[in-house]
Amino acid sequence: MLGITGSFAALLFLLLGFISVSSVDADSLSAPLNVTIKALEGNSAIVTWDILEGEPVIGFAITQQKKDVRMLRFIQEVNTTTRSCALWDLEEDTEYIVHVQSISMSGSSPPSEPVLFRTPKESEKLASKSPDEVTMEEVGQSSQLRAGELIIIVVVLVMWAGVIALFCRQYDIIKDNEPNNNKDKAKNSSECSTPEHPSGGLLRSKV
């Protein structure tokens, strides 16, 4: 009986020791550093961070919360080495708080320092956009418009070339037929003139 009790106590001691070691390993994992919000739009943003070199990080966890609102959004991803994450379905002109945690095989790190940011209004985004700033969508639309304009110009030029060619052909035909028309007119005028006597007098009928 004492042997069974001693074995149980030893097993419990080992289990508690394993739990304490895992807790120490998780607590030794540093919180992410340099948490930054980039590509801030009215409805989306990208959060980036850094980790200490050599830490056995296999994933991340992000908590996103509206300021003064209890509801949280939790994003977690493992088996990845990425150091960024997209935040979506945000509301315009709204303040959010973001925390980032690193995940290892032993557990999660403490949360990072909170980052507070505010999403802009679309009108503010357009107003703050410089005249020289052009998005890829605008470039694509501009390219499509230019291609359509070029097609229209080419079609119009081809039509004008066809009209000019047809006009030149008709002009050549009219010009070639003009000498023949002059000859016919001269022949008709000679036939219609009054015949004269060879001696110069007019022919008279005999009585």
Side-chain angles (χ1 to χ4, degrees), residues 42-104:
N43 304 109
S44 64
I46 296 177
V47 56
T48 63
W49 62 91
D50 296 325
I51 61 172
L52 293 179
E53 185 177 357
E55 290 197 330
V57 176
I58 62 169
F60 63 86
I62 295 176
T63 55
Q64 169 193 318
Q65 177 185 8
K66 286 184 182 180
K67 187 179 179 181
D68 302 328
V69 177
R70 293 183 178 180
M71 186 175 62
L72 296 174
R73 172 185 284 177
F74 186 72
I75 305 171
Q76 180 174 320
E77 188 173 345
V78 294
N79 297 327
T80 180
T81 58
T82 183
R83 300 292 177 262
S84 64
C85 179
L87 307 178
W88 65 96
D89 288 341
L90 305 180
E91 296 181 6
E92 297 179 10
D93 195 22
T94 304
E95 290 185 329
Y96 289 90
I97 301 173
V98 170
H99 296 84
V100 183
Q101 291 176 275
S102 295
I103 299 176
S104 68

Side-chain angles (χ1 to χ4, degrees), residues 99-135:
H99 296 84
V100 183
Q101 291 176 275
S102 295
I103 299 176
S104 68
M105 294 295 294
S106 303
S108 301
S109 72
S112 66
E113 292 293 327
V115 175
L116 176 66
F117 67 94
R118 186 185 189 92
T119 55
K121 293 181 180 179
E122 285 299 325
S123 57
E124 294 176 355
K125 184 69 177 178
L126 294 175
S128 62
K129 186 177 178 181
S130 63
D132 297 333
E133 184 180 357
V134 180
T135 62

Side-chain angles (χ1 to χ4, degrees), residues 140-199:
Q141 292 177 352
S142 177
S143 300
Q144 292 178 357
L145 290 175
R146 290 179 181 177
E149 292 174 355
L150 287 176
I151 292 174
I152 294 174
I153 292 173
V154 170
V155 170
V156 171
L157 290 176
V158 170
M159 292 178 62
W160 272 106
V163 172
I164 293 172
L166 181 61
F167 175 79
C168 292
R169 184 177 178 184
Q170 293 294 331
Y171 179 77
D172 290 339
I173 293 174
I174 294 172
K175 189 175 181 180
D176 292 340
N177 291 335
E178 187 174 353
N180 296 330
N181 292 334
N182 292 336
K183 291 179 181 179
D184 293 340
K185 290 179 180 179
K187 185 177 180 180
N188 292 334
S189 61
S190 61
E191 290 178 353
C192 294
S193 60
T194 304
E196 296 182 353
H197 194 269
S199 60

